Amino acid sequence: MPPSISTLGELRASGWVSRPVKAEIRANAVARVAAGQPLFECVLGYEDTVMPQLENALLAGHDVILLGERGQAKTRMIRSLTGLLDEFLPIIAGSEINDDPYHPVSRYARNLIEEVGDETPIAWVHREDRFGEKLATPDTSIADLIGEVDPIKVAEGRYLSDELTLHYGLVPRTNRGIFAINELPDLAERIQVGLLNVLEERDVQIRGHRVRLPLDVMLIASANPDDYTSRGRIITPLKDRFGSQIRTHYPLTVELEQQIMLAEATPPVVGDSGVTVTVPEHLMRVVAEFSHLARSSSHVNQRSGVSVRLSVANYEALAANALRRALRSGESEAVARIDDLDALAATSIGKIEIEALEDGREGVVFENLLRQAVLATFRDLVDPSLTTPVVEAFEEGRVAHTGEGLPSSELAALAAEVPGLADAVAPLVGPTASQPAVASAVEFVLEGLHLSRRLNKDEASSGSTYRSRS
């Protein structure tokens, strides 16, 4: 609950001390860094790269630009900065711009203090209400950001010269807080000029009014490197006024991508049907590997980037397809299999920009990346010596059929029927695995052997058949 102090006199008697918003953030950041706590609990993978730079910027009291491709948690970090503000902040009650009770800047607050003095009412603002955000668009105006004369107030009888006729924009309304501009290069250059005084002189000037509002605002901006250099640009004087520019990045390892994917994804859960949904470790790794391969592929536009949202959406689609298959077959446990990876086309092709001269190449690039992801995961997780007896069994005439319509019990039975297959599957599932889990591992091993050019695979609408290469 906010403090019970309700008047300016009570606030003075309490000993409360006013401080700039950057000093407030610095003090709270110092406490967290000194205690060995992260600035943000919800951002993974930046502990040794982005976070030290951001900590330096906050300790230095800088305004910041976060520069990076889409899906790199820029907006999440910006919004999480509110956690470094004090939980409650006193303002002059009724103030539109969070006037400091000791240093009011608006005409409304100054007039009120002159009239009632220590009886001036005080309100308390929560930290979440001290954050303002604007997505930069070409139609954004100075009135949106800074303010404009309100014609309604003029019509009510006030003079144009009266400061009380002003309608404050987003920046003044975030006074004593944090204001964020997403995709700053998309803001028209003539509008960017309006931010120069906010960053350096710390004031705003509205229309022809002789009014100066010494605002106390921390400004945070995000930008995409592609926009930063070609489609739009940040004017040089504005870039010069930001204290720090911090480059974000995608997860550096497949393991980290998988960790973020699991933290962000919301796989489908069906309680009434009694179906449990599981994505085994080897297929989770395939999904994460797919995103990493896309980020290094010459067929994918790297300036656009490959967002972590791709991994999250693919994981959710994989689990959903497994659930749909289990519901159709009447199984009580849905474990994702290689067959379910086809569902990733719907969530992948729209999220990566293919660089190809001819149309219709998206599907081919997707399939190649998916095969590479399965092969890389197979080589990482399956010991080649364990699969030699399996290949020998197929060379002696063994044939295996798989497919989405095949029940898990038939696929799991292959582990016992094919010599050596049970040993190859065991490290993936453990000793007490269910039939659907074993079926998933069997399909994975067979597909890995095919992609390793040790088995042949015949595909049909009803499923796939694995046989010897000879």
Side-chain angles (χ1 to χ4, degrees), residues 22 25-26 29 39 54-61 81 84 218:
K22 290 184 178 179
I25 290 175
R26 180 191 294 119
L39 292 184
L54 186 55
E55 289 173 1
N56 290 343
L58 297 179
L59 295 177
L81 283 173
L84 296 176
M218 169 174 273

Side-chain angles (χ1 to χ4, degrees), residues 391 394-399 454-456 466-470:
V391 176
F394 277 88
E395 289 176 348
E396 293 174 0
R398 184 76 203 190
V399 175
R454 299 176 71 187
L455 291 181
N456 272 348
Y466 294 92
R467 63 180 76 249
S468 168
R469 287 183 61 85
S470 59

Side-chain angles (χ1 to χ4, degrees), residues 224-235:
N224 184 286
D226 187 47
D227 298 343
Y228 196 69
T229 56
S230 59
R231 194 176 73 197
R233 75 182 191 95
I234 303 175
I235 60 174

Side-chain angles (χ1 to χ4, degrees), residues 42 44 76 257-266 312:
C42 56
L44 301 174
R76 172 169 295 190
E257 181 102 23
Q258 186 175 325
Q259 186 180 353
I260 296 172
M261 179 181 72
L262 290 175
E264 296 297 317
T266 53
V312 175

Side-chain angles (χ1 to χ4, degrees), residues 231-382:
R231 194 176 73 197
R233 75 182 191 95
I234 303 175
I235 60 174
T236 302
L238 185 58
K239 284 192 291 185
D240 183 57
R241 281 167 165 78
F242 279 95
S244 296
Q245 176 179 291
I246 300 174
R247 188 68 163 84
T248 58
H249 57 80
Y250 289 121
L252 300 178
T253 64
V254 174
E255 291 77 14
L256 183 56
E257 181 102 23
Q258 186 175 325
Q259 186 180 353
I260 296 172
M261 179 181 72
L262 290 175
E264 296 297 317
T266 53
V269 177
V270 180
D272 296 338
S273 67
V275 178
T276 59
V277 185
T278 305
V279 178
E281 176 74 19
H282 56 272
L283 288 186
M284 284 193 288
R285 189 176 179 90
V286 167
V287 172
E289 187 76 51
F290 176 85
S291 298
H292 267 249
L293 290 172
R295 293 189 190 117
S296 60
S297 172
S298 60
H299 299 292
V300 176
N301 185 339
Q302 300 303 325
R303 292 177 301 167
S304 173
V306 179
S307 170
V308 177
R309 299 186 190 97
L310 173 67
S311 299
V312 175
N314 282 345
Y315 175 80
E316 293 169 344
L318 184 63
N321 199 74
L323 172 61
R324 181 179 62 84
R325 176 171 46 76
L327 292 172
R328 288 183 177 275
S329 63
E331 296 182 348
S332 61
E333 182 181 1
V335 179
R337 306 195 312 222
I338 286 291
D339 293 321
D340 299 315
L341 290 175
D342 291 339
L344 272 57
T347 51
S348 297
I349 294 177
K351 284 185 168 58
I352 55 179
E353 295 187 19
I354 304 300
E355 296 222 346
L357 297 178
E358 64 273 15
D359 293 333
R361 288 276 298 168
E362 293 88 351
V364 175
V365 173
F366 164 76
E367 291 174 3
N368 288 338
L369 288 173
L370 194 56
R371 291 191 191 101
Q372 293 174 37
V374 173
L375 179 58
T377 304
F378 174 76
R379 288 173 172 170
D380 286 342
L381 299 183
V382 179

